[in-house]
Amino acid sequence: MKALNRLCFLFFMIALFSCKKEDKAIDDSEIRDRYFQLEKIGWKSKVYNQLVDDINFTGTEIPIQYYLLKDKGKEDLFLVDSLYEANKTERVIEFTFHQDEEKDLLDEKFTGMSYEDGIKYMSFQLDKDFYVVTSKKDTIPCSGALYERSYKIAPYQKVLLMFSGIDPNDKIQLVYKDNLFQKGIIKFKFKDPYTQIAL
């Protein structure tokens, strides 16, 4: 009798775990579909460029899911989705500076400061030059900037800007008060926020 009870218990546990795996596959496919739709429209499709004199200022809004998938991989989409839910009020904007003739923009003739001071400014002070205005007219300062040094290899300078506390459905306008190249105030209006796509 004990052997029969153990056998019944074993079958019950196998059936229970197999049902959980089935449910997980259904949820996983729904998450995969959402991320596939975002990838299909282009992770970096929201690019806005402003040309001032001979310098291109380019802002690209990139969905948080892009960085989460890049960091965590596609194996556990439940983890990625839960991280997105916890961080969905964050916005990341990739911002690049590019000179038309591909000259080094941190040269003294562009910035009015030494090359080393230009690098220090990009690394430690540039975040103070950026803020976001939401569709609700809230002003959100840049909460952090990561300068990706190219060591004179790439013909552009790139920085990742982070903003916190923005409703994921809000439209935003990025405002850059250029103190580095002295080009004034430059605005970038990001019209369509990334939301979950319903088919």
Side-chain angles (χ1 to χ4, degrees):
M1 193 67 168
K2 285 183 180 180
L4 183 62
N5 284 343
R6 285 184 188 162
L7 190 59
C8 287
F9 179 74
L10 181 65
F11 282 125
F12 174 74
M13 293 304 289
I14 291 172
L16 182 65
F17 284 117
S18 67
C19 289
K20 283 187 178 180
K21 286 182 182 176
E22 248 178 59
D23 291 343
K24 188 173 182 176
I26 292 170
D27 289 341
D28 185 48
S29 65
E30 186 269 327
I31 295 169
R32 281 185 190 280
D33 185 54
R34 270 193 283 134
Y35 291 162
F36 174 74
Q37 293 300 327
L38 277 174
E39 186 177 8
K40 195 166 89 175
I41 62 173
W43 289 115
K44 296 185 178 186
S45 64
K46 294 170 79 177
V47 179
Y48 295 91
N49 188 58
Q50 298 267 358
L51 178 64
V52 181
D53 296 331
D54 61 345
I55 300 176
N56 282 297
F57 299 91
T58 306
T60 307
E61 187 179 3
I62 302 170
I64 286 289
Q65 296 96 318
Y66 173 80
Y67 292 106
L68 292 172
L69 286 168
K70 195 172 180 181
D71 183 50
K72 301 295 180 190
K74 297 179 182 179
E75 289 75 38
D76 188 358
L77 290 181
F78 292 104
L79 172 66
V80 172
D81 206 44
S82 67
L83 288 171
Y84 167 70
E85 285 299 319
N87 295 290
K88 66 183 177 183
T89 61
E90 306 294 318
R91 296 279 179 102
V92 176
I93 296 175
E94 183 181 279
F95 199 84
T96 58
F97 308 86
H98 183 263
Q99 203 270 339
D100 276 350
E101 297 174 8
E102 297 188 354
K103 294 180 180 173
D104 191 345
L105 282 171
L106 293 180
D107 191 275
E108 189 172 342
K109 69 179 179 180
F110 292 109
T111 63
M113 59 180 77
S114 72
Y115 193 83
E116 291 78 20
D117 288 341
I119 290 172
K120 287 178 187 175
Y121 192 89
M122 291 285 283
S123 300
F124 305 112
Q125 297 174 338
L126 191 68
D127 60 330
K128 294 171 185 68
D129 296 347
F130 289 93
Y131 62 92
V132 160
V133 178
T134 68
S135 58
K136 296 172 185 160
K137 305 296 183 209
D138 292 330
T139 301
I140 312 289
C142 183
S143 57
L146 175 66
Y147 171 49
E148 294 183 11
R149 262 191 88 178
S150 62
Y151 298 95
K152 298 185 179 184
I153 295 172
Y156 58 83
Q157 302 295 326
K158 185 187 336 182
V159 64
L160 293 178
L161 306 168
M162 283 75 77
F163 298 90
S164 298
I166 302 172
D167 183 329
N169 297 316
D170 255 357
K171 297 176 183 177
I172 62 169
Q173 180 178 44
L174 176 68
V175 180
Y176 172 48
K177 185 179 178 188
D178 181 20
N179 293 313
L180 186 61
F181 306 108
Q182 305 298 317
K183 302 296 182 190
I185 295 175
I186 305 167
K187 298 178 182 180
F188 303 82
K189 190 156 189 156
F190 296 97
K191 297 175 184 145
D192 303 311
Y194 285 102
T195 56
Q196 294 180 6
I197 299 167
L199 297 177

